[in-house]
Amino acid sequence: AQSVTQPDIHITVSEGASLELRCNYSYGATPYLFWYVQSPGQGLQLLLKYFSGDTLVQGIKGFEAEFKRSQSSFNLRKPSVHWSDAAEYFCAVLIPSGGSYIPTFGRGTSLIVHP
Amino acid sequence: DGGITQSPKYLFRKEGQNVTLSCEQNLNHDAMYWYRQDPGQGLRLIYYSQIVNDFQKGDIAEGYSVSREKKESFPLTVTSAQKNPTAFYLCASSIEGSTGGYGYTFGSGTRLTVV
Protein backbone atom coordinates (compact mmCIF):
# COMPACT_ATOMS: atom_id res chain seq x y z
CA ALA A 1 0.00 0.00 0.00
CA GLN A 2 1.12 3.50 -0.68
CA SER A 3 2.12 5.71 2.21
CA VAL A 4 3.21 9.23 2.83
CA THR A 5 5.71 10.19 5.49
CA GLN A 6 6.24 13.62 6.92
CA PRO A 7 9.09 13.00 9.34
CA ASP A 8 8.87 16.33 11.16
CA ILE A 9 5.92 16.81 13.49
CA HIS A 10 6.93 20.38 14.33
CA ILE A 11 9.26 22.84 12.62
CA THR A 12 10.23 26.15 14.19
CA VAL A 13 11.78 28.95 12.14
CA SER A 14 12.38 32.62 12.59
CA GLU A 15 10.51 35.08 10.44
CA GLY A 16 12.54 35.79 7.32
CA ALA A 17 14.39 32.50 7.46
CA SER A 18 14.15 29.85 4.78
CA LEU A 19 11.94 26.80 5.19
CA GLU A 20 11.97 23.22 4.00
CA LEU A 21 9.27 20.70 4.94
CA ARG A 22 9.98 17.10 4.09
CA CYS A 23 7.71 14.58 2.43
CA ASN A 24 8.53 11.05 1.33
CA TYR A 25 6.23 8.58 -0.36
CA SER A 26 6.32 4.90 -1.11
CA TYR A 27 5.05 3.86 -4.50
CA GLY A 28 6.59 2.07 -7.47
CA ALA A 29 5.80 4.70 -10.06
CA THR A 30 5.39 8.46 -9.94
CA PRO A 31 2.22 9.48 -8.17
CA TYR A 32 0.44 12.78 -8.26
CA LEU A 33 1.78 14.86 -5.39
CA PHE A 34 0.26 17.72 -3.45
CA TRP A 35 0.95 20.08 -0.60
CA TYR A 36 -1.89 21.58 1.42
CA VAL A 37 -1.94 24.14 4.21
CA GLN A 38 -4.42 24.26 7.08
CA SER A 39 -5.01 27.17 9.42
CA PRO A 40 -6.41 26.34 12.86
CA GLY A 41 -10.04 25.23 12.72
CA GLN A 42 -10.18 25.53 8.96
CA GLY A 43 -10.20 23.26 5.96
CA LEU A 44 -7.20 22.55 3.76
CA GLN A 45 -6.03 24.85 0.97
CA LEU A 46 -4.05 23.56 -1.98
CA LEU A 47 -0.58 25.11 -2.19
CA LEU A 48 0.77 23.28 -5.22
CA LYS A 49 0.71 20.00 -7.10
CA TYR A 50 2.96 17.89 -9.28
CA PHE A 51 1.75 15.63 -12.05
CA SER A 52 4.64 15.39 -14.50
CA GLY A 53 7.20 17.49 -16.33
CA ASP A 54 9.35 20.07 -14.59
CA THR A 55 10.29 18.69 -11.20
CA LEU A 56 10.32 22.12 -9.57
CA VAL A 57 6.77 23.28 -8.99
CA GLN A 58 5.69 26.78 -8.06
CA GLY A 59 2.68 27.32 -5.85
CA ILE A 60 0.76 30.05 -4.13
CA LYS A 61 2.05 32.25 -1.32
CA GLY A 62 5.63 31.98 -2.53
CA PHE A 63 5.96 28.25 -1.94
CA GLU A 64 7.69 25.79 -4.22
CA ALA A 65 8.32 22.07 -4.11
CA GLU A 66 10.81 19.80 -5.83
CA PHE A 67 10.06 16.25 -6.89
CA LYS A 68 13.06 13.94 -6.62
CA ARG A 69 12.32 10.52 -8.04
CA SER A 70 15.56 8.98 -6.78
CA GLN A 71 14.66 9.93 -3.22
CA SER A 72 10.88 9.46 -3.49
CA SER A 73 10.56 12.93 -2.04
CA PHE A 74 8.51 16.04 -2.62
CA ASN A 75 9.84 18.64 -0.22
CA LEU A 76 8.18 22.01 0.23
CA ARG A 77 10.32 25.14 0.38
CA LYS A 78 10.00 28.85 0.90
CA PRO A 79 12.97 31.24 0.80
CA SER A 80 11.65 33.67 3.41
CA VAL A 81 8.96 32.75 5.90
CA HIS A 82 6.32 35.23 7.05
CA TRP A 83 4.53 35.06 10.40
CA SER A 84 1.28 34.34 8.54
CA ASP A 85 2.78 31.07 7.26
CA ALA A 86 2.35 29.52 10.69
CA ALA A 87 -0.04 26.63 10.08
CA GLU A 88 -0.24 22.87 9.58
CA TYR A 89 1.12 21.54 6.31
CA PHE A 90 0.07 18.28 4.71
CA CYS A 91 1.68 16.33 1.92
CA ALA A 92 -0.62 14.07 -0.08
CA VAL A 93 -0.21 11.51 -2.82
CA LEU A 94 -2.77 10.44 -5.36
CA ILE A 95 -2.26 7.07 -6.93
CA PRO A 96 -4.44 5.65 -9.69
CA SER A 97 -6.22 2.44 -8.90
CA GLY A 98 -8.72 0.95 -11.31
CA GLY A 99 -9.67 4.30 -12.78
CA SER A 100 -10.05 5.94 -9.38
CA TYR A 101 -7.76 8.32 -7.55
CA ILE A 102 -7.92 8.30 -3.78
CA PRO A 103 -5.57 10.57 -1.88
CA THR A 104 -3.45 9.54 1.06
CA PHE A 105 -2.29 12.27 3.41
CA GLY A 106 0.74 12.50 5.61
CA ARG A 107 0.30 13.20 9.29
CA GLY A 108 1.17 16.84 8.86
CA THR A 109 3.93 19.19 9.97
CA SER A 110 3.14 22.08 12.26
CA LEU A 111 5.08 25.21 11.36
CA ILE A 112 5.84 27.66 14.14
CA VAL A 113 7.22 31.06 13.19
CA HIS A 114 9.15 33.14 15.71
CA PRO A 115 9.26 36.90 15.29
CA ASP B 1 -18.61 31.86 -5.41
CA GLY B 2 -18.30 28.12 -5.76
CA GLY B 3 -17.19 26.05 -2.83
CA ILE B 4 -18.03 23.49 -0.19
CA THR B 5 -20.22 24.30 2.78
CA GLN B 6 -20.07 22.20 5.90
CA SER B 7 -22.56 22.66 8.69
CA PRO B 8 -22.70 23.04 11.55
CA LYS B 9 -19.24 24.33 12.42
CA TYR B 10 -19.53 22.95 15.95
CA LEU B 11 -21.67 20.03 17.05
CA PHE B 12 -22.21 18.40 20.39
CA ARG B 13 -23.56 14.91 20.76
CA LYS B 14 -24.66 12.90 23.72
CA GLU B 15 -23.39 9.37 23.95
CA GLY B 16 -25.69 6.93 22.18
CA GLN B 17 -27.04 9.48 19.73
CA ASN B 18 -26.68 9.57 15.98
CA VAL B 19 -25.76 12.89 14.41
CA THR B 20 -25.56 13.97 10.78
CA LEU B 21 -22.97 16.34 9.38
CA SER B 22 -23.90 18.25 6.28
CA CYS B 23 -21.68 18.78 3.24
CA GLU B 24 -22.89 20.67 0.17
CA GLN B 25 -20.89 21.71 -2.89
CA ASN B 26 -21.75 23.88 -5.88
CA LEU B 27 -18.62 23.14 -7.85
CA ASN B 28 -20.24 20.49 -10.02
CA HIS B 29 -17.62 18.05 -8.79
CA ASP B 30 -18.30 14.37 -9.29
CA ALA B 31 -16.42 12.99 -6.31
CA MET B 32 -16.87 13.77 -2.65
CA TYR B 33 -15.00 12.59 0.42
CA TRP B 34 -15.21 12.57 4.19
CA TYR B 35 -12.09 12.70 6.34
CA ARG B 36 -11.60 12.55 10.04
CA GLN B 37 -8.78 14.55 11.59
CA ASP B 38 -7.30 13.87 15.00
CA PRO B 39 -4.28 15.63 16.48
CA GLY B 40 -1.04 14.10 15.24
CA GLN B 41 -2.80 11.64 12.93
CA GLY B 42 -3.40 13.68 9.84
CA LEU B 43 -6.46 12.96 7.73
CA ARG B 44 -8.03 9.55 7.59
CA LEU B 45 -10.55 8.66 4.90
CA ILE B 46 -13.99 7.61 6.13
CA TYR B 47 -16.09 7.31 2.96
CA TYR B 48 -15.95 8.54 -0.58
CA SER B 49 -18.33 8.74 -3.49
CA GLN B 50 -17.46 9.12 -7.14
CA ILE B 51 -20.99 9.22 -8.56
CA VAL B 52 -24.51 9.70 -7.30
CA ASN B 53 -26.04 6.72 -5.51
CA ASP B 54 -22.68 5.05 -5.09
CA PHE B 55 -20.08 5.25 -2.34
CA GLN B 56 -17.19 3.21 -0.94
CA LYS B 57 -15.72 2.70 2.49
CA GLY B 58 -12.45 4.31 3.33
CA ASP B 59 -9.94 3.28 5.95
CA ILE B 60 -12.09 3.98 9.02
CA ALA B 61 -15.72 3.52 7.94
CA GLU B 62 -16.90 1.60 11.00
CA GLY B 63 -19.50 3.54 12.96
CA TYR B 64 -20.24 5.92 10.09
CA SER B 65 -22.75 5.97 7.24
CA VAL B 66 -23.25 8.17 4.20
CA SER B 67 -25.64 8.75 1.34
CA ARG B 68 -25.25 10.37 -2.06
CA GLU B 69 -28.73 11.03 -3.40
CA LYS B 70 -27.72 14.26 -5.11
CA LYS B 71 -24.49 15.28 -6.77
CA GLU B 72 -24.26 18.36 -4.57
CA SER B 73 -24.74 16.67 -1.21
CA PHE B 74 -22.83 14.04 0.76
CA PRO B 75 -24.05 13.92 4.37
CA LEU B 76 -22.18 11.89 6.98
CA THR B 77 -23.97 10.23 9.89
CA VAL B 78 -21.94 9.43 12.96
CA THR B 79 -23.76 6.57 14.60
CA SER B 80 -23.78 5.41 18.19
CA ALA B 81 -21.55 2.54 17.07
CA GLN B 82 -18.65 4.95 16.64
CA LYS B 83 -16.89 4.63 19.98
CA ASN B 84 -14.70 7.69 19.79
CA PRO B 85 -16.43 10.23 17.59
CA THR B 86 -14.91 13.40 19.02
CA ALA B 87 -12.85 14.81 16.14
CA PHE B 88 -12.66 17.39 13.39
CA TYR B 89 -14.47 16.25 10.24
CA LEU B 90 -13.58 17.51 6.81
CA CYS B 91 -15.51 17.14 3.60
CA ALA B 92 -13.80 17.47 0.23
CA SER B 93 -14.68 17.24 -3.42
CA SER B 94 -12.80 16.80 -6.65
CA ILE B 95 -13.26 16.51 -10.38
CA GLU B 96 -13.10 12.76 -10.57
CA GLY B 97 -12.56 10.63 -13.57
CA SER B 98 -9.85 8.88 -15.45
CA THR B 99 -7.72 12.00 -15.56
CA GLY B 100 -8.01 12.55 -11.83
CA GLY B 101 -5.54 14.52 -9.76
CA TYR B 102 -6.84 18.05 -10.10
CA GLY B 103 -6.61 18.54 -6.41
CA TYR B 104 -9.27 18.66 -3.81
CA THR B 105 -11.44 21.45 -2.51
CA PHE B 106 -12.09 21.24 1.21
CA GLY B 107 -14.85 22.58 3.38
CA SER B 108 -14.03 24.45 6.58
CA GLY B 109 -14.87 21.47 8.77
CA THR B 110 -17.19 20.44 11.58
CA ARG B 111 -15.87 19.91 15.07
CA LEU B 112 -17.85 17.18 16.78
CA THR B 113 -17.66 16.73 20.53
CA VAL B 114 -19.31 14.00 22.56
CA VAL B 115 -20.65 15.25 25.88
Side-chain angles (χ1 to χ4, degrees):
Chain A
Q2 68 275 12
S3 70
V4 182
T5 302
Q6 293 180 248
D8 302 306
I9 298 174
H10 302 284
I11 289 282
T12 301
V13 299
S14 298
E15 190 170 16
S18 63
L19 169 70
E20 182 170 35
L21 301 182
R22 296 182 290 167
C23 174
N24 294 94
Y25 66 90
S26 63
Y27 181 60
T30 301
Y32 296 155
L33 296 156
F34 303 83
W35 274 100
Y36 287 86
V37 61
Q38 183 183 34
S39 297
Q42 298 298 315
L44 277 67
Q45 181 184 19
L46 180 66
L47 284 175
L48 47 78
K49 58 191 176 189
Y50 173 78
F51 292 166
S52 64
D54 192 347
T55 56
L56 185 62
V57 180
Q58 301 298 320
I60 63 171
K61 305 185 179 186
F63 285 93
E64 66 178 27
E66 185 172 13
F67 169 63
K68 292 186 177 180
R69 185 189 307 275
S70 61
Q71 299 177 18
S72 296
S73 69
F74 189 56
N75 294 349
L76 182 71
R77 302 194 295 244
K78 187 169 185 177
S80 178
V81 171
H82 189 262
W83 64 266
S84 60
D85 293 324
E88 189 88 13
Y89 290 81
F90 292 93
C91 181
V93 299
L94 195 65
I95 296 172
S97 176
S100 303
Y101 294 82
I102 305 300
T104 299
F105 288 84
R107 292 192 172 193
T109 297
S110 179
L111 175 63
I112 301 165
V113 180
H114 282 172
Chain B
D1 288 339
I4 297 182
T5 302
Q6 288 188 244
S7 62
K9 191 169 180 65
Y10 299 95
L11 186 59
F12 296 88
R13 189 195 92 170
K14 292 183 179 179
E15 288 194 20
Q17 281 185 337
N18 292 356
V19 290
T20 297
L21 283 59
S22 170
C23 178
E24 303 276 335
Q25 55 101 356
N26 60 4
L27 300 165
N28 200 33
H29 283 176
D30 295 311
M32 298 186 74
Y33 310 80
W34 274 106
Y35 289 91
R36 170 179 171 141
Q37 186 176 24
D38 297 281
Q41 295 196 47
L43 279 70
R44 292 182 290 169
L45 183 63
I46 305 173
Y47 268 99
Y48 65 98
S49 168
Q50 295 173 320
I51 58 172
V52 174
N53 292 323
D54 188 48
F55 46 84
Q56 284 76 40
K57 293 182 178 179
D59 301 321
I60 55 165
E62 185 175 352
Y64 300 96
S65 66
V66 293
S67 63
R68 187 85 187 277
E69 298 177 1
K70 298 186 300 181
K71 187 176 184 178
E72 302 79 20
S73 179
F74 192 42
L76 173 74
T77 297
V78 184
T79 74
S80 57
Q82 170 51 238
K83 299 305 180 187
N84 185 23
T86 295
F88 189 55
Y89 291 86
L90 284 164
C91 180
S93 70
S94 71
I95 300 173
E96 192 49 79
S98 60
T99 52
Y102 286 96
Y104 294 77
T105 300
F106 282 84
S108 57
T110 293
R111 184 165 299 280
L112 174 64
T113 304
V114 174
V115 296

Short mmCIF file of all heavy atoms in Angstrom, two decimals, chain A residues 65-90:
data_model
loop_
_atom_site.label_atom_id
_atom_site.label_comp_id
_atom_site.label_asym_id
_atom_site.label_seq_id
_atom_site.Cartn_x
_atom_site.Cartn_y
_atom_site.Cartn_z
N ALA A 65 7.99 23.42 -4.53
CA ALA A 65 8.32 22.07 -4.11
C ALA A 65 9.10 21.40 -5.23
O ALA A 65 8.89 21.68 -6.41
CB ALA A 65 7.07 21.27 -3.77
N GLU A 66 9.99 20.51 -4.85
CA GLU A 66 10.81 19.80 -5.83
C GLU A 66 10.58 18.31 -5.72
O GLU A 66 10.73 17.72 -4.63
CB GLU A 66 12.29 20.11 -5.63
CG GLU A 66 13.17 19.49 -6.72
CD GLU A 66 14.60 19.94 -6.65
OE1 GLU A 66 14.99 20.55 -5.62
OE2 GLU A 66 15.34 19.69 -7.61
N PHE A 67 10.23 17.70 -6.82
CA PHE A 67 10.06 16.25 -6.89
C PHE A 67 11.41 15.62 -7.22
O PHE A 67 12.05 15.97 -8.20
CB PHE A 67 9.03 15.90 -7.96
CG PHE A 67 8.97 14.43 -8.29
CD1 PHE A 67 8.60 13.52 -7.32
CD2 PHE A 67 9.30 13.97 -9.56
CE1 PHE A 67 8.55 12.16 -7.61
CE2 PHE A 67 9.25 12.62 -9.85
CZ PHE A 67 8.87 11.71 -8.88
N LYS A 68 11.81 14.67 -6.38
CA LYS A 68 13.06 13.94 -6.62
C LYS A 68 12.72 12.45 -6.66
O LYS A 68 12.50 11.82 -5.62
CB LYS A 68 14.08 14.24 -5.54
CG LYS A 68 14.60 15.67 -5.58
CD LYS A 68 15.73 15.88 -4.57
CE LYS A 68 16.28 17.30 -4.67
NZ LYS A 68 17.38 17.55 -3.70
N ARG A 69 12.71 11.91 -7.85
CA ARG A 69 12.32 10.52 -8.04
C ARG A 69 13.27 9.58 -7.31
O ARG A 69 12.84 8.62 -6.68
CB ARG A 69 12.31 10.17 -9.53
CG ARG A 69 11.81 8.77 -9.84
CD ARG A 69 12.04 8.44 -11.31
NE ARG A 69 11.50 9.45 -12.18
CZ ARG A 69 10.23 9.48 -12.58
NH1 ARG A 69 9.40 8.54 -12.18
NH2 ARG A 69 9.81 10.43 -13.39
N SER A 70 14.55 9.87 -7.37
CA SER A 70 15.56 8.98 -6.78
C SER A 70 15.40 8.88 -5.26
O SER A 70 15.78 7.89 -4.65
CB SER A 70 16.95 9.46 -7.13
OG SER A 70 17.16 10.77 -6.60
N GLN A 71 14.84 9.92 -4.67
CA GLN A 71 14.66 9.93 -3.22
C GLN A 71 13.21 9.74 -2.80
O GLN A 71 12.89 9.76 -1.61
CB GLN A 71 15.18 11.26 -2.65
CG GLN A 71 16.66 11.51 -2.91
CD GLN A 71 17.13 12.86 -2.40
OE1 GLN A 71 16.48 13.50 -1.59
NE2 GLN A 71 18.28 13.31 -2.90
N SER A 72 12.32 9.57 -3.77
CA SER A 72 10.88 9.46 -3.49
C SER A 72 10.45 10.59 -2.56
O SER A 72 9.75 10.37 -1.55
CB SER A 72 10.54 8.10 -2.86
OG SER A 72 10.81 7.06 -3.76
N SER A 73 10.86 11.80 -2.91
CA SER A 73 10.56 12.93 -2.04
C SER A 73 9.89 14.05 -2.81
O SER A 73 10.02 14.17 -4.03
CB SER A 73 11.85 13.44 -1.38
OG SER A 73 12.69 14.05 -2.34
N PHE A 74 9.20 14.86 -2.06
CA PHE A 74 8.51 16.04 -2.62
C PHE A 74 8.53 17.10 -1.52
O PHE A 74 7.53 17.37 -0.88
CB PHE A 74 7.09 15.67 -3.03
CG PHE A 74 6.36 16.73 -3.80
CD1 PHE A 74 6.88 17.26 -4.96
CD2 PHE A 74 5.12 17.19 -3.37
CE1 PHE A 74 6.20 18.23 -5.68
CE2 PHE A 74 4.42 18.16 -4.09
CZ PHE A 74 4.97 18.68 -5.24
N ASN A 75 9.67 17.71 -1.31
CA ASN A 75 9.84 18.64 -0.22
C ASN A 75 9.35 20.04 -0.58
O ASN A 75 9.56 20.53 -1.69
CB ASN A 75 11.31 18.71 0.19
CG ASN A 75 11.80 17.40 0.79
OD1 ASN A 75 11.00 16.49 1.09
ND2 ASN A 75 13.10 17.28 0.95
N LEU A 76 8.74 20.66 0.40
CA LEU A 76 8.18 22.01 0.23
C LEU A 76 9.18 23.04 0.74
O LEU A 76 9.76 22.86 1.81
CB LEU A 76 6.87 22.12 1.01
CG LEU A 76 6.11 23.45 0.93
CD1 LEU A 76 5.49 23.61 -0.45
CD2 LEU A 76 5.02 23.50 2.00
N ARG A 77 9.34 24.13 -0.01
CA ARG A 77 10.32 25.14 0.38
C ARG A 77 9.73 26.54 0.24
O ARG A 77 8.81 26.78 -0.55
CB ARG A 77 11.58 25.06 -0.48
CG ARG A 77 12.27 23.71 -0.43
CD ARG A 77 13.67 23.79 -1.00
NE ARG A 77 13.63 24.12 -2.42
CZ ARG A 77 14.06 23.30 -3.38
NH1 ARG A 77 14.50 22.10 -3.07
NH2 ARG A 77 14.06 23.68 -4.64
N LYS A 78 10.30 27.43 1.04
CA LYS A 78 10.00 28.85 0.90
C LYS A 78 11.24 29.62 1.31
O LYS A 78 11.81 29.35 2.37
CB LYS A 78 8.80 29.25 1.77
CG LYS A 78 8.35 30.69 1.51
CD LYS A 78 7.02 31.00 2.17
CE LYS A 78 6.56 32.41 1.79
NZ LYS A 78 5.22 32.75 2.35
N PRO A 79 11.70 30.56 0.51
CA PRO A 79 12.97 31.24 0.80
C PRO A 79 12.92 32.15 2.02
O PRO A 79 13.91 32.32 2.71
CB PRO A 79 13.26 32.03 -0.48
CG PRO A 79 11.99 32.07 -1.24
CD PRO A 79 11.15 30.93 -0.80
N SER A 80 11.75 32.73 2.30
CA SER A 80 11.65 33.67 3.41
C SER A 80 10.25 33.54 4.03
O SER A 80 9.25 33.90 3.43
CB SER A 80 11.89 35.10 2.93
OG SER A 80 11.75 36.02 4.01
N VAL A 81 10.24 33.05 5.25
CA VAL A 81 8.96 32.75 5.90
C VAL A 81 8.36 34.01 6.54
O VAL A 81 9.08 34.81 7.14
CB VAL A 81 9.16 31.66 6.97
CG1 VAL A 81 7.91 31.48 7.81
CG2 VAL A 81 9.52 30.34 6.30
N HIS A 82 7.06 34.13 6.43
CA HIS A 82 6.32 35.23 7.05
C HIS A 82 5.55 34.68 8.24
O HIS A 82 5.20 33.49 8.27
CB HIS A 82 5.36 35.85 6.02
CG HIS A 82 4.69 37.10 6.46
ND1 HIS A 82 3.42 37.12 6.97
CD2 HIS A 82 5.13 38.39 6.47
CE1 HIS A 82 3.08 38.36 7.27
NE2 HIS A 82 4.11 39.14 6.99
N TRP A 83 5.24 35.53 9.22
CA TRP A 83 4.53 35.06 10.40
C TRP A 83 3.19 34.41 10.03
O TRP A 83 2.74 33.48 10.69
CB TRP A 83 4.29 36.20 11.39
CG TRP A 83 3.39 37.29 10.88
CD1 TRP A 83 3.76 38.44 10.27
CD2 TRP A 83 1.95 37.31 10.92
NE1 TRP A 83 2.66 39.17 9.91
CE2 TRP A 83 1.54 38.52 10.30
CE3 TRP A 83 0.99 36.44 11.41
CZ2 TRP A 83 0.21 38.86 10.18
CZ3 TRP A 83 -0.35 36.78 11.28
CH2 TRP A 83 -0.73 37.98 10.66
N SER A 84 2.58 34.88 8.95
CA SER A 84 1.28 34.34 8.54
C SER A 84 1.38 32.93 7.96
O SER A 84 0.35 32.30 7.69
CB SER A 84 0.62 35.27 7.50
OG SER A 84 1.45 35.38 6.36
N ASP A 85 2.60 32.44 7.75
CA ASP A 85 2.78 31.07 7.26
C ASP A 85 2.61 30.04 8.35
O ASP A 85 2.57 28.83 8.06
CB ASP A 85 4.16 30.92 6.61
CG ASP A 85 4.30 31.74 5.34
OD1 ASP A 85 3.31 31.86 4.60
OD2 ASP A 85 5.41 32.26 5.09
N ALA A 86 2.54 30.47 9.59
CA ALA A 86 2.35 29.52 10.69
C ALA A 86 1.04 28.77 10.51
O ALA A 86 -0.03 29.38 10.46
CB ALA A 86 2.36 30.26 12.03
N ALA A 87 1.13 27.46 10.38
CA ALA A 87 -0.04 26.63 10.08
C ALA A 87 0.40 25.17 10.09
O ALA A 87 1.54 24.84 10.38
CB ALA A 87 -0.62 27.01 8.72
N GLU A 88 -0.53 24.30 9.74
CA GLU A 88 -0.24 22.87 9.58
C GLU A 88 -0.13 22.59 8.09
O GLU A 88 -0.96 23.07 7.29
CB GLU A 88 -1.39 22.04 10.18
CG GLU A 88 -1.12 20.58 10.29
CD GLU A 88 -0.43 20.19 11.59
OE1 GLU A 88 -0.39 21.03 12.51
OE2 GLU A 88 0.07 19.05 11.68
N TYR A 89 0.88 21.83 7.71
CA TYR A 89 1.12 21.54 6.31
C TYR A 89 1.02 20.04 6.07
O TYR A 89 1.61 19.25 6.81
CB TYR A 89 2.50 22.06 5.88
CG TYR A 89 2.56 23.56 5.85
CD1 TYR A 89 2.75 24.29 7.02
CD2 TYR A 89 2.38 24.26 4.66
CE1 TYR A 89 2.77 25.68 7.00
CE2 TYR A 89 2.40 25.65 4.63
CZ TYR A 89 2.60 26.34 5.81
OH TYR A 89 2.62 27.72 5.78
N PHE A 90 0.29 19.69 5.03
CA PHE A 90 0.07 18.28 4.71
C PHE A 90 0.55 17.97 3.31
O PHE A 90 0.23 18.68 2.36
CB PHE A 90 -1.42 17.92 4.80
CG PHE A 90 -1.98 17.97 6.19
CD1 PHE A 90 -2.57 19.12 6.68
CD2 PHE A 90 -1.90 16.85 7.02
CE1 PHE A 90 -3.07 19.17 7.97
CE2 PHE A 90 -2.41 16.90 8.31
CZ PHE A 90 -2.99 18.06 8.78
#
